[in-house]
Amino acid sequence: MEHHDLLSGLIRLHVLHHAAEQEIYGQWMIDELAHHGYRLSPGTLYPMLHKMKRDGYLVSHQEREGRTVRKLYTITPKGREGLALAKDRIREFAGEAMHK
Ligand SMILES: [Zn+2]
């Protein structure tokens, strides 16, 4: 994806936002992000989810659905804290940058 490094923080926040509302899984998140104009491949999203888990923002568990095993992610208290902080900062940034 073009400008991936620049936008990756926003993508992470998007993931946190949805993981705060419901259990999410990789392909669902890829489709959701595509609606917002972020085209991510599994090869980009999955390592991102793993790192967010390692960093304590998400937890995951496996769920079997027929033959497929799906990894479901939900937000942690640290994730909620980070999301709330980021939302404050985004509000502040939008006030400054989108004012004109
Ligand atoms: Zn969304």
Side-chain angles (χ1 to χ4, degrees):
M1 196 181 82
E2 213 182 347
H3 303 301
H4 180 270
D5 283 356
L6 192 63
L7 298 174
S8 67
L10 279 174
I11 295 169
R12 286 184 169 80
L13 291 172
H14 221 94
V15 169
L16 279 184
H17 168 70
H18 286 289
E21 294 194 319
Q22 63 190 92
E23 290 187 316
I24 58 163
Y25 57 91
Q27 189 54 52
W28 184 88
M29 201 62 233
I30 286 171
D31 294 342
E32 164 66 20
L33 287 168
H35 289 143
H36 295 289
Y38 301 108
R39 253 173 258 286
L40 267 78
S41 66
T44 304
L45 184 77
Y46 283 88
M48 187 183 274
L49 291 175
H50 294 161
K51 177 152 198 323
M52 288 174 74
K53 185 184 167 182
R54 249 189 353 261
D55 291 343
Y57 292 113
L58 297 172
V59 285
S60 71
H61 71 273
Q62 313 245 12
E63 216 163 84
R64 183 174 291 277
E65 220 181 86
R67 280 187 190 181
T68 51
V69 177
R70 193 161 269 168
K71 206 167 191 179
L72 297 166
Y73 291 89
T74 43
I75 198 165
T76 63
K78 180 182 173 180
R80 287 187 189 279
E81 193 187 302
L83 180 61
L85 174 65
K87 280 163 88 167
D88 280 349
R89 297 291 161 87
I90 288 170
R91 202 172 287 121
E92 196 204 335
F93 175 71
E96 180 182 48
M98 279 48 139
H99 197 59
K100 294 158 204 157

